[in-house]
Each structure stands twice: as structure tokens, then as C-alpha cells.
Amino acid sequence: FLQVFLVEKAGRRSLFLAGLMGMLLSAVAMTVGLALLSQFTWMSYVSMVAIFLFVIFFEVGPGPIPWFIVAELFSQGPRPAAIAVAGFCNWACNFIVGMCFQYIADLCGPYVFVIFAALLLVFFLFAYFKVPETKGKSFEEIAAVFRRKKLPAKAMTELEDLRGSEKA
């Protein structure tokens, strides 16, 4: 509920990046907490706090924001297919992580979250360099960002284009 208001105020890209960075730092904290647990018993609290922060940062950024961005990156025609592909990828990755985590945890021990931290760093860098801010922008403006061109002074929107074809 809070995310709806927060996303309009702060912007999609900034919340996405903040969520990824928070998750990255939480994964590092979980690794440190688990690695030092045998030496310091209070590290269990560090691990618990890191888990809670990981979930909070996920709910601020990478949880809801991709759905906003996917819906805004595509015009009306391909949007349903794009959302279906995004949903499939999301659930397929969730399934893979859920099925493989225990085996990876047995293999890596307390350093299992280093894998997540490395992936989160890659995701952060990709989002920082490739994902545009979509807040308050039309589809044409977002597409122009991907084409690296400026939008002409009088750009025809998709709706105006459809209205023009109705008159003919």
C-alpha cells in the first residue's frame, strides 16, 4: 500500500536501485553474520536483522518496481505478452532458487549469500547503466531514451496516431 505513494514520489529507478543496494548490503551482512557465528554468539542477531532488511529492501525495490517498469516500457499492443514473459521469468527464477538453495547452502556453507550479493551487484550495475527512469514519461519518451535520440518537438503519441487512422 505504501509503495503506491512512494513510487510516485521517489521514482521507479531510484527505488529500484535503492532496493538492490540494500539487498546487496543485507546479503553481505548475512554472510558476515553466518561466517562469524561460531566466534560471536551475538552474530545471530546480525543475521536476523539482515534477513529482515533484505525482505524490506526487496519490497521497496525489486519486488514491485519491475512490474511498473515492464508496464511502462511497452506500448498497448505488446504489453500483455511482455508482462506474461516477465511473470514467467519471475516465477521460473523463484522456482529455481527454491529448488536449488538447500543444495547450494550445503555446498557453500555460511558463504551461500555471496552468490546473491554478486548477482545483486550485477543487477545494480545493469539497472544503473541501462534502465531509464519512467516516472512521468510517455511511452514515446521512454522509447526515445532507448534509441538515444531526443523526441521531436511535436511527437505523435500512439493514441494520436490511432485517432488519425480512424479519420482516414
Side-chain angles (χ1 to χ4, degrees), residues 4-157:
V4 174
F5 300 108
L6 194 58
V7 78
E8 290 303 322
K9 181 109 173 124
R12 288 111 172 97
R13 184 174 184 268
S14 59
L15 283 176
F16 189 62
L17 291 172
L20 287 172
M21 185 53 68
M23 289 173 65
L24 171 63
L25 297 174
S26 298
V28 170
M30 281 188 268
T31 301
V32 170
L34 290 173
L36 298 177
L37 186 59
S38 60
Q39 296 171 353
F40 305 102
T41 57
W42 53 269
M43 279 294 179
S44 62
Y45 296 111
V46 170
S47 296
M48 287 191 316
V49 169
I51 289 169
F52 291 135
L53 287 174
F54 189 91
V55 172
I56 289 168
F57 280 112
F58 176 80
E59 292 301 327
V60 167
I65 299 297
W67 299 108
F68 285 100
I69 291 175
V70 168
E72 293 171 346
L73 286 182
F74 295 93
S75 63
Q76 290 293 334
R79 187 175 296 154
I83 291 175
V85 169
F88 172 78
C89 290
N90 183 357
W91 285 107
C93 290
N94 287 337
F95 178 77
I96 291 167
V97 169
M99 294 302 291
C100 298
F101 182 79
Q102 188 61 50
Y103 301 110
I104 296 169
D106 291 342
L107 183 67
C108 298
Y111 301 102
V112 67
F113 293 106
V114 170
I115 297 168
F116 289 96
L119 288 172
L120 285 163
L121 179 62
V122 170
F123 299 154
F124 178 85
L125 292 172
F126 175 80
Y128 183 80
F129 289 111
K130 297 291 184 183
V131 176
E133 176 60 70
T134 59
K135 176 186 166 195
K137 292 184 179 177
S138 69
F139 169 74
E140 289 78 14
E141 292 170 322
I142 296 167
V145 169
F146 282 112
R147 287 190 306 264
R148 301 278 189 239
K149 295 179 184 175
K150 292 199 179 229
L151 198 60
K154 174 61 177 127
M156 186 180 301
T157 65

